[in-house]
């Protein structure tokens, strides 16, 4: 192992993000003998391998003064702790963490930023795009390793040179062990538990209720779909109550189910016939990949992240963002059971490349390369 203790700091907007996507990698660093700390907003979760949890006052608004306060605290923390690597996740936290790194000089830590989806693309309003792209450009020179997980983000990063070294990855890897195609008995039991008729055509969209996820579009589309179509919307978030009220005001309230937070999400996929998404932007969405592994075909907006999973795979249909009529056409096209079965089988096959057991060695290889190279540059090494 190392001649000195190697210290790693994981940073994200929330501890929930770290708990959801990074547990295997936190354990991996700890198993190599590294001292691993985690910094984020929200209630600290129990994370195996993490020896210190650090609360930061991140808020979703980029303009919030609390985010600058978080950057100031991080700058002090970096000097006190002497981390060798920062592993950055989520756009807001990554930006303010890199602000904290700027100006630290030659002894600064190695910075690895994993892009879980830039919050802009070619269709973003020009002023917003300029602001968000400008934030990435001004922190690019302290971004030693930049990991992207979809085609459009990789092209953005390479075109604008948003990192010193840019690598395309297959995301963080998904543990598919719970997400298998349903047996007839599992399907029937799942529908009974959710109050959904056995003969319904069920659409499922598992996501945080937010403007970006755009559940409102699906709710509006339900009024123009046949009476046998049901919409299942598990999740929680700031817009849950507004979406529930929107459904009640429409004609499809009885066919729209809000089960809230669901710890056994495989039950919702087992109850469904089609996975849908109305999201405005994605990185590489776990919810769709889990549904695909359960053998569900997908109807989703033609945005980054979705196109990587669906274009040329035979796993589903893409439709223009915010086009309710196009969504309804996609759902009607998937009403035929034979077509759903064929696309569901293609979905199950094509999503295997994103399995945790395949992605884990790719990412840990990059982590080892970055850390070993940085320590050698700084006069140390790891075994």
């Amino acid at each position: 192992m190392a001649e000195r203790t190697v210290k790693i700091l994981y940073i994200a907007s929330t501890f929930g993000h770290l708990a959801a996507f990074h547990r295997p990698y936190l354990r991996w660093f700890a198993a190599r003998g590294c001292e691993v700390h985690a910094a984020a907003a929200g209630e600290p979760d129990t994370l195996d391998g993490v020896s210190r949890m650090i609360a930061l006052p991140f808020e979703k608004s980029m303009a919030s003064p609390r985010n600058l306060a978080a950057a100031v605290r991080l700058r002090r923390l970096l000097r006190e702790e002497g981390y060798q690597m920062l592993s950055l996740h989520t756009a807001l936290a990554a930006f303010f963490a890199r602000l904290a790194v700027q100006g630290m000089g030659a002894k600064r830590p190695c910075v690895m930023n994993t892009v879980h989806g830039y919050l802009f693309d070619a269709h973003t309003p020009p002023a917003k795009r300029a602001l968000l792209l400008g934030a990435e450009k001004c922190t690019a020179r302290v971004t030693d390793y930049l990991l992207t997980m979809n085609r459009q983000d990789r092209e953005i990063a390479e075109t604008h040179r948003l990192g010193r070294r840019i690598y395309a990855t297959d995301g963080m890897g998904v543990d598919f062990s719970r997400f298998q195609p349903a047996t007839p008995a599992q399907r029937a039991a799942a529908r009974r538990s959710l109050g959904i008729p056995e003969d319904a055509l069920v659409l499922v969209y598992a996501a945080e209720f937010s403007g970006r996820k755009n559940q409102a579009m699906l709710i509006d589309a339900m009024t123009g779909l046949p009476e046998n179509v049901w919409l299942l919307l598990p999740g929680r978030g700031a817009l849950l109550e507004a979406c529930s009220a929107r459904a009640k005001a429409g004609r499809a309230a009885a066919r729209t189910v809000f089960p809230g937070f669901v710890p056994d999400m495989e039950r919702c996929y087992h109850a469904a016939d089609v996975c849908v998404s109305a999201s405005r932007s994605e990185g590489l969405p776990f919810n769709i990949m889990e549904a695909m592994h359960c053998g569900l075909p997908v109807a989703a907006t033609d945005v980054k992240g979705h196109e990587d999973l669906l274009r040329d795979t035979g796993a589903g249909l893409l439709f223009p963002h915010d086009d309710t009529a196009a969504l309804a056409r996609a759902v009607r096209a998937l009403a035929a059971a034979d077509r759903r079965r064929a696309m569901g089988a293609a979905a199950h096959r094509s999503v295997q490349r994103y399995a945790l057991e395949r992605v884990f060695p790719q990412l840990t290889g990059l982590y080892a390369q970055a850390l070993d190279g940085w320590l050698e540059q700084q006069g140390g090494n790891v075994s």
Side-chain angles (χ1 to χ4, degrees), residues 280-297:
R280 301 177 188 277
S281 177
E282 288 292 345
L284 199 62
F286 267 46
N287 61 332
I288 290 184
M289 291 188 284
E290 291 168 352
M292 289 171 69
H293 205 268
C294 287
L296 295 186

Side-chain angles (χ1 to χ4, degrees), residues 120-132:
F120 59 91
D121 56 24
H123 304 291
T124 303
K128 181 178 180 180
R129 176 182 167 84
L131 175 65
L132 295 174

Side-chain angles (χ1 to χ4, degrees), residues 323-338:
D323 188 335
T324 304
L327 164 63
R329 287 195 295 273
V331 171
R332 288 190 175 93
L334 291 171
D338 288 348

Side-chain angles (χ1 to χ4, degrees), residues 120-382:
F120 59 91
D121 56 24
H123 304 291
T124 303
K128 181 178 180 180
R129 176 182 167 84
L131 175 65
L132 295 174
L133 178 57
E136 294 299 325
K137 286 181 175 180
C138 84
T139 53
R141 69 183 183 87
V142 296
T143 306
D144 302 295
Y145 287 79
L146 182 65
L147 276 53
T148 63
M149 55 183 72
N150 64 55
R151 179 189 63 81
Q152 290 189 44
D153 282 344
R154 184 189 73 244
E155 291 177 355
I156 290 170
E158 290 176 344
T159 298
H160 299 283
R161 299 180 181 178
L162 299 182
R164 294 173 181 265
R165 303 170 188 84
I166 299 169
Y167 293 90
T169 73
D170 287 327
M172 301 307 303
V174 187
D175 180 358
F176 288 131
S177 57
R178 292 163 42 209
F179 301 102
Q180 303 299 329
T183 65
Q186 286 173 324
R187 181 178 185 273
R191 292 196 170 197
R192 283 195 303 271
S193 72
L194 293 162
I196 297 173
E198 179 59 31
D199 60 351
L201 178 69
V202 182
L203 316 178
V204 64
Y205 184 30
E208 175 190 12
F209 283 83
S210 68
R212 182 167 69 90
K213 297 299 186 179
N214 199 23
Q215 284 91 345
M217 175 188 175
L218 299 176
I219 294 167
D220 292 346
M222 283 293 290
T223 60
L225 287 169
E227 290 295 315
N228 71 316
V229 177
W230 283 57
L231 177 61
L232 179 57
L233 295 174
R236 55 192 174 190
L239 296 185
L240 172 57
E241 290 187 10
C243 285
S244 179
R246 193 183 194 104
K248 289 176 182 175
R251 297 198 303 272
R255 297 183 284 122
T256 306
V257 181
F258 296 87
F261 172 72
V262 178
D264 54 338
M265 261 307 303
E266 64 274 18
R267 178 165 57 96
C268 290
Y269 299 134
H270 288 169
D273 297 294
V274 179
C275 174
V276 293
S277 175
S279 181
R280 301 177 188 277
S281 177
E282 288 292 345
L284 199 62
F286 267 46
N287 61 332
I288 290 184
M289 291 188 284
E290 291 168 352
M292 289 171 69
H293 205 268
C294 287
L296 295 186
V298 181
T301 45
D302 190 0
V303 299
K304 62 181 179 177
H306 289 167
E307 67 158 6
D308 297 77
L309 295 172
L310 300 181
R311 184 157 287 135
D312 302 323
T313 65
L317 304 173
L318 293 163
F319 57 88
H321 172 256
D322 248 349
D323 188 335
T324 304
L327 164 63
R329 287 195 295 273
V331 171
R332 288 190 175 93
L334 291 171
D338 288 348
R339 189 173 192 185
R340 290 201 308 274
R341 278 193 292 271
M343 285 189 165
H348 184 80
R349 288 193 303 271
S350 65
V351 82
Q352 300 302 321
R353 65 178 286 186
Y354 303 104
L356 180 61
E357 59 267 26
R358 297 193 182 190
V359 176
F360 184 82
Q362 300 170 14
L363 287 187
T364 52
L366 283 174
Y367 294 164
Q369 172 188 323
L371 186 56
D372 290 354
W374 194 262
L375 289 174
E376 183 177 353
Q377 178 182 321
Q378 299 297 317
N381 56 72
V382 293

